[in-house]
């Protein structure tokens, strides 16, 4: 829950739009009073690392856990933003066609400090048990 709260706060507070003076990266979704479209990606996490080039979804959350996590995140985003009226989403786990206008060549990752540290350790080639030992030290 702590990781989800952190991500909800970051999502609602991220300065992604320009201000009235045209200065980039100065206004958040909350300040702009925009809507938020949440599209779940929990069950889509996969890798193509095998010789057959077939996606492997072993690292993804199981459906029940992913559904609970997504619902909790949506509630946290709504609470952080001040209500559900501006929070939109689709049907969890459904195949959806989403149309949008992507304004700019930017992709941002919003992740909790714990998951960021795990990802960075993995990028350095450390094994999970090495990371756990380092975290305990």
């Amino acid at each position: 829950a702590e990781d989800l709260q952190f991500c909800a706060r970051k999502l609602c507070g991220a300065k992604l739009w320009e201000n009235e003076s045209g200065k980039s990266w100065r206004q958040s979704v909350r300040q702009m009073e925009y809507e938020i479209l949440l599209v779940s990606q929990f069950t889509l996490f996969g890798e193509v690392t095998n010789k057959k080039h077939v996606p492997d979804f072993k690292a993804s959350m199981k459906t029940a856990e992913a559904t609970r996590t997504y619902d909790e995140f949506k509630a946290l985003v709504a609470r952080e933003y001040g209500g559900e009226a501006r929070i939109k989403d689709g049907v969890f786990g459904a195949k959806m066609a989403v149309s949008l206008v992507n304004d700019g060549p930017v992709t941002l990752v919003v992740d909790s400090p714990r998951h960021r540290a795990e990802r960075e350790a993995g990028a350095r080639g450390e094994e999970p048990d090495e990371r756990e030992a380092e975290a305990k030290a």
Side-chain angles (χ1 to χ4, degrees), residues 48-55:
V48 181
T49 57
N50 55 47
K51 292 179 183 177
K52 295 179 183 177
H53 306 288
V54 176

Side-chain angles (χ1 to χ4, degrees), residues 73-137:
F73 182 68
K74 182 181 174 191
L76 289 168
V77 170
R79 190 171 334 145
E80 188 69 35
Y81 196 19
E84 293 183 7
R86 289 206 167 107
I87 310 302
K88 309 298 182 194
D89 72 338
V91 177
F92 183 86
K95 185 174 180 178
M96 294 180 285
V98 177
S99 297
L100 63 103
V101 175
N102 193 1
D103 185 10
V106 177
T107 300
L108 302 171
V109 175
V110 177
D111 211 345
S112 68
R114 180 174 63 95
H115 283 112
R116 185 173 39 249
E118 289 173 1
R119 188 176 63 248
E120 289 169 355
R124 291 191 302 268
E126 297 174 6
E127 294 295 320
D129 56 341
E130 291 174 331
R131 288 180 266 163
E132 290 174 9
E134 185 178 308
K136 292 176 184 175

Side-chain angles (χ1 to χ4, degrees), residues 4-61:
L4 294 178
Q5 181 62 53
F6 178 89
C7 291
R9 188 171 51 253
K10 285 291 183 182
L11 176 65
C12 292
K15 309 282 185 174
L16 304 175
W17 291 273
E18 61 186 33
N19 64 12
E20 307 80 33
S21 304
K23 200 163 190 181
S24 298
W25 313 110
R26 296 293 184 260
Q27 299 278 50
S28 70
V29 68
R30 186 182 299 124
Q31 291 168 307
M32 299 296 289
E33 297 183 1
Y34 286 166
E35 293 181 332
I36 294 176
L37 173 63
L38 295 177
V39 179
S40 66
Q41 294 292 308
F42 290 103
T43 57
L44 299 179
F45 179 78
E47 299 177 304
V48 181
T49 57
N50 55 47
K51 292 179 183 177
K52 295 179 183 177
H53 306 288
V54 176
D56 176 352
F57 298 98
K58 290 179 202 160
S60 66
M61 283 184 176

